[in-house]
Amino acid sequence: MQGLRLELCTSDRPGLLSDVTRIFRENGLSVTRAEVTTRGGKAVNAFYVTDAAGNPVDSKTVEAVRQEIGQAVLQVTENSACVKSPPRETAVRFLFSNLFRSRSLCNLGLIKSFS
């Protein structure tokens, strides 16, 4: 289980990541995975959290964390509200088109070349 996805989108500043993870820890949350980026002075981070035992997070805990960090800054999301990412189909198509163009499948012996 990866955990509940919490997305942070705010102006970047020194100590931001430290402050956010401290607030998670103080509220009994454990970060199982994090995607941390900065774009144009804006911190765009996704944290996957569970409770300390690895169980799903209680909604009261999530709301307490959001109150402390900022309701508009920390969102519970399925998809990124801050960063638009390409649809999965496009990413998969791009991956496969690169494999065929680079002839990697031929090099791996997965298909035969007829050229």
Side-chain angles (χ1 to χ4, degrees):
M1 176 180 177
Q2 284 189 357
L4 178 68
R5 180 183 165 106
L6 299 177
E7 185 173 285
L8 177 78
C9 184
T10 189
S11 297
D12 195 20
R13 63 173 173 75
L16 176 64
L17 186 58
S18 176
D19 290 344
V20 170
T21 55
R22 176 186 49 79
I23 292 168
F24 288 164
R25 190 175 55 255
E26 288 173 351
N27 284 277
L29 298 181
S30 177
V31 177
T32 59
R33 182 175 153 209
E35 299 166 2
V36 179
T37 58
T38 304
R39 293 194 179 120
K42 194 165 207 87
V44 182
N45 305 324
F47 300 94
Y48 295 83
V49 297
T50 63
D51 71 6
N55 298 314
V57 180
D58 181 72
S59 61
K60 290 180 184 177
T61 303
V62 172
E63 285 310 308
V65 169
R66 288 187 68 221
Q67 287 284 333
E68 195 166 346
I69 293 175
Q71 297 264 337
V73 172
L74 187 68
Q75 300 291 320
V76 178
T77 62
E78 288 298 319
N79 295 316
S80 175
C82 258
V83 178
K84 301 290 184 203
S85 59
R88 186 164 175 78
E89 179 184 329
T90 303
V92 170
R93 188 178 312 136
F94 176 74
L95 172 68
F96 282 114
S97 68
N98 281 346
L99 279 174
F100 285 112
R101 251 186 258 143
S102 68
R103 302 175 61 96
S104 296
L105 295 176
C106 293
N107 295 338
L108 292 172
L110 298 176
I111 62 172
K112 292 185 180 184
S113 175
F114 293 103
S115 55

PDB file of all heavy atoms in Angstrom, residues 55-76:
ATOM      1  N   ASN A  55      -1.283   1.695   8.329  1.00  0.00           N
ATOM      2  CA  ASN A  55      -2.711   1.609   8.013  1.00  0.00           C
ATOM      3  C   ASN A  55      -3.197   2.888   7.342  1.00  0.00           C
ATOM      4  O   ASN A  55      -2.534   3.920   7.405  1.00  0.00           O
ATOM      5  CB  ASN A  55      -3.515   1.373   9.300  1.00  0.00           C
ATOM      6  CG  ASN A  55      -3.129   0.062   9.958  1.00  0.00           C
ATOM      7  OD1 ASN A  55      -3.015  -0.963   9.301  1.00  0.00           O
ATOM      8  ND2 ASN A  55      -2.890   0.114  11.252  1.00  0.00           N
ATOM      9  N   PRO A  56      -4.385   2.830   6.713  1.00  0.00           N
ATOM     10  CA  PRO A  56      -4.949   4.052   6.122  1.00  0.00           C
ATOM     11  C   PRO A  56      -5.096   5.166   7.163  1.00  0.00           C
ATOM     12  O   PRO A  56      -5.311   4.905   8.347  1.00  0.00           O
ATOM     13  CB  PRO A  56      -6.319   3.595   5.614  1.00  0.00           C
ATOM     14  CG  PRO A  56      -6.171   2.128   5.385  1.00  0.00           C
ATOM     15  CD  PRO A  56      -5.227   1.657   6.464  1.00  0.00           C
ATOM     16  N   VAL A  57      -4.984   6.391   6.686  1.00  0.00           N
ATOM     17  CA  VAL A  57      -5.020   7.566   7.555  1.00  0.00           C
ATOM     18  C   VAL A  57      -6.461   7.939   7.878  1.00  0.00           C
ATOM     19  O   VAL A  57      -7.326   7.948   7.002  1.00  0.00           O
ATOM     20  CB  VAL A  57      -4.305   8.751   6.874  1.00  0.00           C
ATOM     21  CG1 VAL A  57      -4.330   9.980   7.753  1.00  0.00           C
ATOM     22  CG2 VAL A  57      -2.884   8.373   6.520  1.00  0.00           C
ATOM     23  N   ASP A  58      -6.702   8.273   9.132  1.00  0.00           N
ATOM     24  CA  ASP A  58      -8.012   8.733   9.589  1.00  0.00           C
ATOM     25  C   ASP A  58      -8.292  10.119   9.011  1.00  0.00           C
ATOM     26  O   ASP A  58      -7.400  10.966   8.955  1.00  0.00           O
ATOM     27  CB  ASP A  58      -8.008   8.785  11.122  1.00  0.00           C
ATOM     28  CG  ASP A  58      -9.325   9.225  11.691  1.00  0.00           C
ATOM     29  OD1 ASP A  58     -10.287   8.443  11.634  1.00  0.00           O
ATOM     30  OD2 ASP A  58      -9.392  10.378  12.185  1.00  0.00           O
ATOM     31  N   SER A  59      -9.517  10.366   8.584  1.00  0.00           N
ATOM     32  CA  SER A  59      -9.866  11.650   7.970  1.00  0.00           C
ATOM     33  C   SER A  59      -9.684  12.826   8.939  1.00  0.00           C
ATOM     34  O   SER A  59      -9.347  13.930   8.511  1.00  0.00           O
ATOM     35  CB  SER A  59     -11.301  11.624   7.440  1.00  0.00           C
ATOM     36  OG  SER A  59     -12.213  11.397   8.487  1.00  0.00           O
ATOM     37  N   LYS A  60      -9.865  12.603  10.236  1.00  0.00           N
ATOM     38  CA  LYS A  60      -9.655  13.675  11.227  1.00  0.00           C
ATOM     39  C   LYS A  60      -8.182  14.084  11.272  1.00  0.00           C
ATOM     40  O   LYS A  60      -7.866  15.260  11.415  1.00  0.00           O
ATOM     41  CB  LYS A  60     -10.121  13.222  12.608  1.00  0.00           C
ATOM     42  CG  LYS A  60     -11.622  13.095  12.718  1.00  0.00           C
ATOM     43  CD  LYS A  60     -12.031  12.638  14.091  1.00  0.00           C
ATOM     44  CE  LYS A  60     -13.537  12.421  14.130  1.00  0.00           C
ATOM     45  NZ  LYS A  60     -13.974  11.904  15.422  1.00  0.00           N
ATOM     46  N   THR A  61      -7.301  13.108  11.120  1.00  0.00           N
ATOM     47  CA  THR A  61      -5.864  13.403  11.101  1.00  0.00           C
ATOM     48  C   THR A  61      -5.508  14.218   9.863  1.00  0.00           C
ATOM     49  O   THR A  61      -4.756  15.196   9.941  1.00  0.00           O
ATOM     50  CB  THR A  61      -5.038  12.100  11.128  1.00  0.00           C
ATOM     51  OG1 THR A  61      -5.401  11.349  12.289  1.00  0.00           O
ATOM     52  CG2 THR A  61      -3.551  12.383  11.138  1.00  0.00           C
ATOM     53  N   VAL A  62      -6.064  13.829   8.726  1.00  0.00           N
ATOM     54  CA  VAL A  62      -5.808  14.562   7.480  1.00  0.00           C
ATOM     55  C   VAL A  62      -6.269  16.003   7.621  1.00  0.00           C
ATOM     56  O   VAL A  62      -5.547  16.937   7.254  1.00  0.00           O
ATOM     57  CB  VAL A  62      -6.509  13.886   6.281  1.00  0.00           C
ATOM     58  CG1 VAL A  62      -6.402  14.752   5.030  1.00  0.00           C
ATOM     59  CG2 VAL A  62      -5.935  12.509   6.027  1.00  0.00           C
ATOM     60  N   GLU A  63      -7.441  16.204   8.168  1.00  0.00           N
ATOM     61  CA  GLU A  63      -7.952  17.573   8.329  1.00  0.00           C
ATOM     62  C   GLU A  63      -7.112  18.377   9.311  1.00  0.00           C
ATOM     63  O   GLU A  63      -6.891  19.571   9.099  1.00  0.00           O
ATOM     64  CB  GLU A  63      -9.425  17.553   8.745  1.00  0.00           C
ATOM     65  CG  GLU A  63     -10.356  17.208   7.600  1.00  0.00           C
ATOM     66  CD  GLU A  63     -10.105  18.045   6.337  1.00  0.00           C
ATOM     67  OE1 GLU A  63     -10.071  19.290   6.414  1.00  0.00           O
ATOM     68  OE2 GLU A  63      -9.931  17.433   5.266  1.00  0.00           O
ATOM     69  N   ALA A  64      -6.613  17.749  10.372  1.00  0.00           N
ATOM     70  CA  ALA A  64      -5.743  18.453  11.326  1.00  0.00           C
ATOM     71  C   ALA A  64      -4.455  18.894  10.644  1.00  0.00           C
ATOM     72  O   ALA A  64      -3.985  20.022  10.841  1.00  0.00           O
ATOM     73  CB  ALA A  64      -5.434  17.546  12.518  1.00  0.00           C
ATOM     74  N   VAL A  65      -3.880  18.023   9.810  1.00  0.00           N
ATOM     75  CA  VAL A  65      -2.653  18.358   9.074  1.00  0.00           C
ATOM     76  C   VAL A  65      -2.930  19.483   8.090  1.00  0.00           C
ATOM     77  O   VAL A  65      -2.150  20.435   7.972  1.00  0.00           O
ATOM     78  CB  VAL A  65      -2.087  17.106   8.363  1.00  0.00           C
ATOM     79  CG1 VAL A  65      -0.988  17.479   7.384  1.00  0.00           C
ATOM     80  CG2 VAL A  65      -1.584  16.092   9.378  1.00  0.00           C
ATOM     81  N   ARG A  66      -4.050  19.402   7.377  1.00  0.00           N
ATOM     82  CA  ARG A  66      -4.400  20.450   6.407  1.00  0.00           C
ATOM     83  C   ARG A  66      -4.621  21.790   7.103  1.00  0.00           C
ATOM     84  O   ARG A  66      -4.263  22.831   6.566  1.00  0.00           O
ATOM     85  CB  ARG A  66      -5.641  20.047   5.615  1.00  0.00           C
ATOM     86  CG  ARG A  66      -5.345  18.919   4.623  1.00  0.00           C
ATOM     87  CD  ARG A  66      -6.514  18.622   3.728  1.00  0.00           C
ATOM     88  NE  ARG A  66      -6.720  19.753   2.837  1.00  0.00           N
ATOM     89  CZ  ARG A  66      -7.920  20.234   2.507  1.00  0.00           C
ATOM     90  NH1 ARG A  66      -9.022  19.690   2.977  1.00  0.00           N
ATOM     91  NH2 ARG A  66      -8.022  21.266   1.703  1.00  0.00           N
ATOM     92  N   GLN A  67      -5.205  21.779   8.298  1.00  0.00           N
ATOM     93  CA  GLN A  67      -5.393  23.019   9.052  1.00  0.00           C
ATOM     94  C   GLN A  67      -4.048  23.653   9.399  1.00  0.00           C
ATOM     95  O   GLN A  67      -3.879  24.860   9.294  1.00  0.00           O
ATOM     96  CB  GLN A  67      -6.165  22.734  10.360  1.00  0.00           C
ATOM     97  CG  GLN A  67      -7.623  22.448  10.177  1.00  0.00           C
ATOM     98  CD  GLN A  67      -8.423  23.704   9.907  1.00  0.00           C
ATOM     99  OE1 GLN A  67      -8.052  24.795  10.311  1.00  0.00           O
ATOM    100  NE2 GLN A  67      -9.537  23.551   9.211  1.00  0.00           N
ATOM    101  N   GLU A  68      -3.099  22.814   9.790  1.00  0.00           N
ATOM    102  CA  GLU A  68      -1.795  23.325  10.209  1.00  0.00           C
ATOM    103  C   GLU A  68      -0.964  23.811   9.029  1.00  0.00           C
ATOM    104  O   GLU A  68      -0.306  24.854   9.106  1.00  0.00           O
ATOM    105  CB  GLU A  68      -1.038  22.235  10.977  1.00  0.00           C
ATOM    106  CG  GLU A  68       0.137  22.761  11.732  1.00  0.00           C
ATOM    107  CD  GLU A  68       0.692  21.780  12.743  1.00  0.00           C
ATOM    108  OE1 GLU A  68       0.027  20.777  13.061  1.00  0.00           O
ATOM    109  OE2 GLU A  68       1.823  22.027  13.206  1.00  0.00           O
ATOM    110  N   ILE A  69      -0.982  23.070   7.923  1.00  0.00           N
ATOM    111  CA  ILE A  69      -0.180  23.438   6.752  1.00  0.00           C
ATOM    112  C   ILE A  69      -0.882  24.501   5.924  1.00  0.00           C
ATOM    113  O   ILE A  69      -0.259  25.408   5.393  1.00  0.00           O
ATOM    114  CB  ILE A  69       0.147  22.197   5.896  1.00  0.00           C
ATOM    115  CG1 ILE A  69       1.082  21.277   6.681  1.00  0.00           C
ATOM    116  CG2 ILE A  69       0.776  22.587   4.565  1.00  0.00           C
ATOM    117  CD1 ILE A  69       1.388  19.959   6.004  1.00  0.00           C
ATOM    118  N   GLY A  70      -2.201  24.381   5.796  1.00  0.00           N
ATOM    119  CA  GLY A  70      -2.999  25.309   4.995  1.00  0.00           C
ATOM    120  C   GLY A  70      -3.928  24.533   4.078  1.00  0.00           C
ATOM    121  O   GLY A  70      -3.461  23.710   3.290  1.00  0.00           O
ATOM    122  N   GLN A  71      -5.216  24.795   4.196  1.00  0.00           N
ATOM    123  CA  GLN A  71      -6.223  24.067   3.417  1.00  0.00           C
ATOM    124  C   GLN A  71      -6.002  24.213   1.915  1.00  0.00           C
ATOM    125  O   GLN A  71      -6.154  23.261   1.170  1.00  0.00           O
ATOM    126  CB  GLN A  71      -7.628  24.566   3.783  1.00  0.00           C
ATOM    127  CG  GLN A  71      -8.007  24.320   5.217  1.00  0.00           C
ATOM    128  CD  GLN A  71      -8.813  23.067   5.403  1.00  0.00           C
ATOM    129  OE1 GLN A  71      -9.443  22.591   4.479  1.00  0.00           O
ATOM    130  NE2 GLN A  71      -8.798  22.545   6.603  1.00  0.00           N
ATOM    131  N   ALA A  72      -5.644  25.413   1.472  1.00  0.00           N
ATOM    132  CA  ALA A  72      -5.464  25.646   0.032  1.00  0.00           C
ATOM    133  C   ALA A  72      -4.120  25.119  -0.457  1.00  0.00           C
ATOM    134  O   ALA A  72      -3.944  24.866  -1.646  1.00  0.00           O
ATOM    135  CB  ALA A  72      -5.579  27.136  -0.274  1.00  0.00           C
ATOM    136  N   VAL A  73      -3.175  24.931   0.448  1.00  0.00           N
ATOM    137  CA  VAL A  73      -1.822  24.525   0.089  1.00  0.00           C
ATOM    138  C   VAL A  73      -1.699  23.006   0.015  1.00  0.00           C
ATOM    139  O   VAL A  73      -0.985  22.476  -0.823  1.00  0.00           O
ATOM    140  CB  VAL A  73      -0.815  25.096   1.117  1.00  0.00           C
ATOM    141  CG1 VAL A  73       0.572  24.563   0.904  1.00  0.00           C
ATOM    142  CG2 VAL A  73      -0.823  26.609   1.070  1.00  0.00           C
ATOM    143  N   LEU A  74      -2.403  22.286   0.887  1.00  0.00           N
ATOM    144  CA  LEU A  74      -2.312  20.825   0.956  1.00  0.00           C
ATOM    145  C   LEU A  74      -3.661  20.217   0.608  1.00  0.00           C
ATOM    146  O   LEU A  74      -4.647  20.452   1.293  1.00  0.00           O
ATOM    147  CB  LEU A  74      -1.883  20.373   2.348  1.00  0.00           C
ATOM    148  CG  LEU A  74      -1.588  18.880   2.496  1.00  0.00           C
ATOM    149  CD1 LEU A  74      -0.333  18.499   1.712  1.00  0.00           C
ATOM    150  CD2 LEU A  74      -1.426  18.511   3.959  1.00  0.00           C
ATOM    151  N   GLN A  75      -3.682  19.456  -0.466  1.00  0.00           N
ATOM    152  CA  GLN A  75      -4.917  18.842  -0.955  1.00  0.00           C
ATOM    153  C   GLN A  75      -4.793  17.328  -0.960  1.00  0.00           C
ATOM    154  O   GLN A  75      -3.717  16.784  -1.187  1.00  0.00           O
ATOM    155  CB  GLN A  75      -5.213  19.308  -2.393  1.00  0.00           C
ATOM    156  CG  GLN A  75      -5.396  20.795  -2.546  1.00  0.00           C
ATOM    157  CD  GLN A  75      -6.681  21.284  -1.898  1.00  0.00           C
ATOM    158  OE1 GLN A  75      -7.712  20.634  -1.991  1.00  0.00           O
ATOM    159  NE2 GLN A  75      -6.612  22.425  -1.241  1.00  0.00           N
ATOM    160  N   VAL A  76      -5.915  16.661  -0.720  1.00  0.00           N
ATOM    161  CA  VAL A  76      -5.995  15.216  -0.913  1.00  0.00           C
ATOM    162  C   VAL A  76      -6.420  15.046  -2.361  1.00  0.00           C
ATOM    163  O   VAL A  76      -7.470  15.545  -2.762  1.00  0.00           O
ATOM    164  CB  VAL A  76      -7.035  14.577   0.029  1.00  0.00           C
ATOM    165  CG1 VAL A  76      -7.141  13.085  -0.226  1.00  0.00           C
ATOM    166  CG2 VAL A  76      -6.689  14.868   1.477  1.00  0.00           C
TER     167      VAL A  76
END
